[in-house]
Structure formats: C-alpha cells, structure tokens
Amino acid sequence: MGIGINRRVRRGDKRAARDRRHLRVRKKISGTPQRPRLVVTRSLRHMVAQVVDDTAGHTIVSATSMESDLRSMEGDKTAKARKVGELVAERAKSAGVESVVFDRAGNRYHGRVAAVAEGARESGLQL
C-alpha cells in the first residue's frame, strides 16, 4: 500500500510508538466508496474527524472542534469530541454515507477518541 515510516525509533518515543500503531491499523483498514474510513486526529487541544474515500483519495466530509460553534461551546474536551462525532455523522449522512470504518490513527480507543465514535453512533452512523 506504500505506507512507510522514516522516523528514528528511540526508546520512550511516544510519537514513534503511535506511528507504529497507526501503520499496523492502516495495513488492515482502507476506505471504499461504499464504506469510507472515519479517521480521527487528536491533538492536545482539538479533535478532527474526516470521512475519507481511499480509492479516490479525497475527503468526503469533515468536522473539527476548531469550528466557531464548537469553540464557543461550554464543557470539557470530551464533550466537544462527542459533538464533533455527532457533527461529522450528520454531514456524512447528508452526503449519502451510512456506514464507515473507524480509524483511531494509532491512538488508544479511550477518552476523546471513543467519544467521537460514540457521538457518531448516536447520530446514526454505523461503525
């Protein structure tokens, strides 16, 4: 598939370990037009969720916690992550996507990453 890593692996390097986990996940997961990939990007402050068709190589819909309505939202980062999941699910359903493959991008399925998935499920997207 052409996914490689050029990062020097040192003991205790969290970023390199996450990159290794991401490659291990991406070997098995690929988005198709019928079932695209819901990829979650997590930073220290924000969450980004994209629905990606890997065969065509483009993003169908996306949502982020940096949008103005979510920036002004009260609550902790987990609540905002759940709202990002709900928002990306609504946009995906309006674009004609009913089912997706969840790509956690090497992060543990815990906390904000799990909140995005739960929010998407609650809004009717099949993961």
Side-chain angles (χ1 to χ4, degrees):
M1 182 161 39
I3 297 175
I5 185 167
N6 291 330
R7 188 178 298 276
R8 190 171 144 189
V9 178
R10 292 186 302 266
R11 202 158 136 167
D13 190 357
K14 288 184 179 181
R15 176 65 191 242
R18 192 192 73 78
D19 287 343
R20 282 195 309 270
R21 285 191 304 270
H22 188 109
L23 289 175
R24 197 164 51 232
V25 169
R26 285 288 287 129
K27 281 192 292 189
K28 301 171 188 170
I29 293 176
S30 179
T32 63
Q34 294 81 20
R35 195 163 182 211
R37 179 170 54 103
L38 173 62
V39 59
V40 175
T41 306
R42 175 184 167 271
S43 73
L44 291 177
R45 184 177 288 180
H46 296 290
M47 295 295 289
V48 178
Q50 296 177 327
V51 176
V52 178
D53 178 8
D54 289 320
T55 56
H58 71 278
T59 301
I60 300 169
V61 294
S62 69
T64 179
S65 63
M66 292 179 272
E67 295 176 10
S68 61
D69 55 341
L70 291 180
R71 269 189 182 269
S72 62
M73 182 180 141
E74 291 295 324
D76 59 349
K77 292 186 283 188
T78 306
K80 288 183 181 182
R82 182 180 298 271
K83 189 66 177 171
V84 168
E86 293 171 2
L87 195 58
V88 76
E90 291 169 8
R91 291 177 183 173
K93 288 181 74 82
S94 67
V97 175
E98 297 292 327
S99 177
V100 296
V101 178
F102 188 70
D103 181 7
R104 59 187 173 88
N107 298 304
R108 289 188 297 170
Y109 187 82
H110 176 77
R112 290 188 286 152
V113 175
V116 171
E118 290 167 5
R121 277 191 200 104
E122 288 174 0
S123 293
L125 200 61
Q126 285 187 334
L127 297 179

